[in-house]
Amino acid sequence: MAKNPMRVLVTGAAGQIGYALVPMIARGVMLGPDQPVILHMLDIEPAAEALNGVKMELVDAAFPLLKGVVATSDVVEACKDVNIAVMVGGFPRKEGMERKDVMSKNVSIYKAQASALEKHAAPNCKVLVVANPANTNALILKEFAPSIPEKNITCLTRLDHNRALGQISERLKVHVSDVKNAIIWGNHSSTQYPDVNHATVASNSGEKPVREIVADDNWLNSEFITTVQQRGAAIIKARKLSSALSAASSACDHIRDWVLGTPKGTWVSMGVHSDGSYGIQKGLIYSFPVTCENGEWSIVQGLKIDEFSRAKMDATAKELVEEKSLAYSCLN
Ligand SMILES: NC(=O)C1=CN([C@@H]2O[C@H](COP(=O)(O)OP(=O)(O)OC[C@H]3O[C@@H](n4cnc5c(N)ncnc54)[C@H](O)[C@@H]3O)[C@@H](O)[C@H]2O)C=CC1
Ligand SMILES: O=C([O-])CC(=O)C(=O)O
């Protein structure tokens, strides 16, 4: 029997990530090839004409899974009964800025949209915050939408996770799908800690630790980490615009794995509210390794953390604590 359509909200849908993301959702990349969708697209009034253009293109593309499109600048209409909310709306950073430099413009959006989601989204709506500073926007959304369960509010660090896999695959000249279980700890910022201490590479003789196969701790502990941390800035330098197709694709990966589950033996990175695991302050939205099953994520437990990792995990947590107070000062 055909499934009922799921309603998927994309905010900032007239922007560049939105433009890459909505056709992926309409093609089934996010929720699977047998899951019909109704797209809810929100943007601000000055972008209404462009948003309508995106809607026209969605109609023109005749996607079999797309059962309806709502294009609006009314946040209540946009949030009505949505099952998934992908929060992209906001302002991207420009060359030379850190992601927290867009804080004052973006956190107020997340405070305002929190109550609309809380009041009008479907019960158990899953929320993914993409707009920067992603962890802190998600934290603000969580704090101003107290009736949405904490476990339903996440932020995107899957792009960083995929970047880490990509760098290892380039270095080893193996296919990226043969590399797994990297971890992004912490903030989606330049303090994030890309950790490959538990990552593996598939080979003819089974899975081998990335550290053993790369056999260059100096590279793994320095250049690899900074390349992943600075990849967003490198894309901005090259494109004069921040990453969009990779962000859209990673947002689909994040929701797909959350809803449909992670493959056995594989974990992914998600920004989720901390329950105190690995000594990270409770309540922060921090990126952890997670597995997903039956529509729920859980933090992978029991990984051995060495001194080098501990210091980096704490440094990025400290930045999140500082961002939280900066966010509240912007809201006052
Ligand atoms: N977490 C991650 O991995 C990544 C996050 N980002 C972030 O995603 C965000 C969007 O990036 P782009 O699409 O490149 O930017 P963009 O500027 O092309 O699009 C953003 C859209 O949001 C809209 N918008 C602004 N205020 C809004 C509001 N109150 N409600 C609804 N829509 C609103 C704008 O009108 C615009 O159409 C930025 O904050 C960017 O830094 C970008 C790449 C990766
Ligand atoms: O770097 C930026 O500003 C955009 C972003 O978050 C990324 O590409 O990871």
Side-chain angles (χ1 to χ4, degrees), residues 241-288:
L241 285 169
S242 60
S243 47
L245 86 84
S246 54
S249 178
S250 303
C252 289
D253 289 345
H254 176 114
I255 297 286
R256 188 198 55 240
D257 287 346
W258 189 3
V259 173
L260 300 175
T262 40
K264 203 170 173 329
T266 300
W267 66 62
V268 295
S269 303
M270 281 170 70
V272 297
H273 88 95
S274 171
D275 60 356
S277 291
Y278 296 98
I280 301 304
Q281 188 182 108
K282 276 190 188 173
L284 286 181
I285 301 278
Y286 188 96
S287 179
F288 286 99

Side-chain angles (χ1 to χ4, degrees), residues 12 15-17 43-44 88-92 109 113 130-132 156 188 243:
Q16 47 147 10
I17 296 177
D43 212 297
I44 49 176
V88 185
F91 296 88
I109 297 176
Q113 293 182 352
V130 174
N132 282 315
L156 188 70
H188 173 65
S243 47

Side-chain angles (χ1 to χ4, degrees), residues 8-22 25 30 40-43 85-93 102 106 109-110 113 117 127-134 137 141 154 156 242-244 247-249 251-252 255:
V8 183
L9 166 65
V10 177
T11 72
Q16 47 147 10
I17 296 177
Y19 192 71
L21 179 60
V22 291
I25 299 171
M30 177 179 275
H40 287 219
M41 303 193 299
L42 175 72
D43 212 297
V86 187
M87 312 298 285
V88 185
F91 296 88
R93 66 170 167 158
V102 290
N106 286 350
I109 297 176
Y110 285 82
Q113 293 182 352
L117 267 179
V127 182
L128 165 62
V129 177
V130 174
N132 282 315
N137 287 338
L141 199 154
T154 64
L156 188 70
S242 60
S243 47
S249 178
C252 289
I255 297 286

Side-chain angles (χ1 to χ4, degrees), residues 18 35 44 56 69 91 95 101 126 145 162 164 168 174 179 201 217 219 264 276 282 298 300:
Q35 177 59 63
I44 49 176
M56 287 158 67
V69 182
F91 296 88
E95 207 169 338
D101 296 338
K126 290 180 159 56
N162 289 345
I168 298 294
V174 298
V179 188
V201 189
D217 282 347
W219 180 77
K264 203 170 173 329
K282 276 190 188 173
S298 24
V300 176

Side-chain angles (χ1 to χ4, degrees), residues 150-318:
E150 287 173 330
K151 67 178 174 34
N152 287 21
I153 297 174
T154 64
C155 82
L156 188 70
T157 55
R158 182 63 176 269
L159 175 55
D160 311 288
H161 180 99
N162 289 345
R163 285 168 172 163
L165 301 181
Q167 288 304 307
I168 298 294
S169 113
E170 292 275 290
R171 170 84 182 196
L172 294 176
K173 302 200 173 22
V174 298
H175 193 265
V176 69
S177 56
D178 289 334
V179 188
K180 67 175 192 179
N181 295 352
I183 302 168
I184 303 298
W185 298 100
N187 198 1
H188 173 65
S189 77
S190 51
T191 67
Q192 67 178 263
Y193 171 43
D195 173 3
V196 290
N197 286 333
H198 311 275
T200 60
V201 189
S203 71
N204 290 338
S205 51
E207 283 171 2
K208 294 266 161 48
V210 160
R211 271 207 186 268
E212 183 185 315
I213 304 297
V214 170
D216 185 349
D217 282 347
N218 188 35
W219 180 77
L220 284 174
N221 292 346
S222 54
E223 198 183 326
F224 162 74
I225 293 177
T226 48
T227 301
V228 177
Q229 288 173 331
Q230 297 294 338
R231 189 67 161 184
I235 303 284
I236 295 173
K237 189 159 184 290
R239 278 185 9 103
K240 314 294 170 228
L241 285 169
S242 60
S243 47
L245 86 84
S246 54
S249 178
S250 303
C252 289
D253 289 345
H254 176 114
I255 297 286
R256 188 198 55 240
D257 287 346
W258 189 3
V259 173
L260 300 175
T262 40
K264 203 170 173 329
T266 300
W267 66 62
V268 295
S269 303
M270 281 170 70
V272 297
H273 88 95
S274 171
D275 60 356
S277 291
Y278 296 98
I280 301 304
Q281 188 182 108
K282 276 190 188 173
L284 286 181
I285 301 278
Y286 188 96
S287 179
F288 286 99
V290 300
T291 53
C292 305
E293 205 179 346
N294 302 325
E296 307 251 326
W297 52 264
S298 24
I299 297 172
V300 176
Q301 298 295 335
L303 297 174
K304 208 163 161 267
I305 305 297
D306 64 17
E307 232 175 273
F308 179 87
S309 297
R310 185 75 257 165
K312 295 215 167 314
M313 288 160 67
D314 290 344
T316 187
K318 180 165 174 276

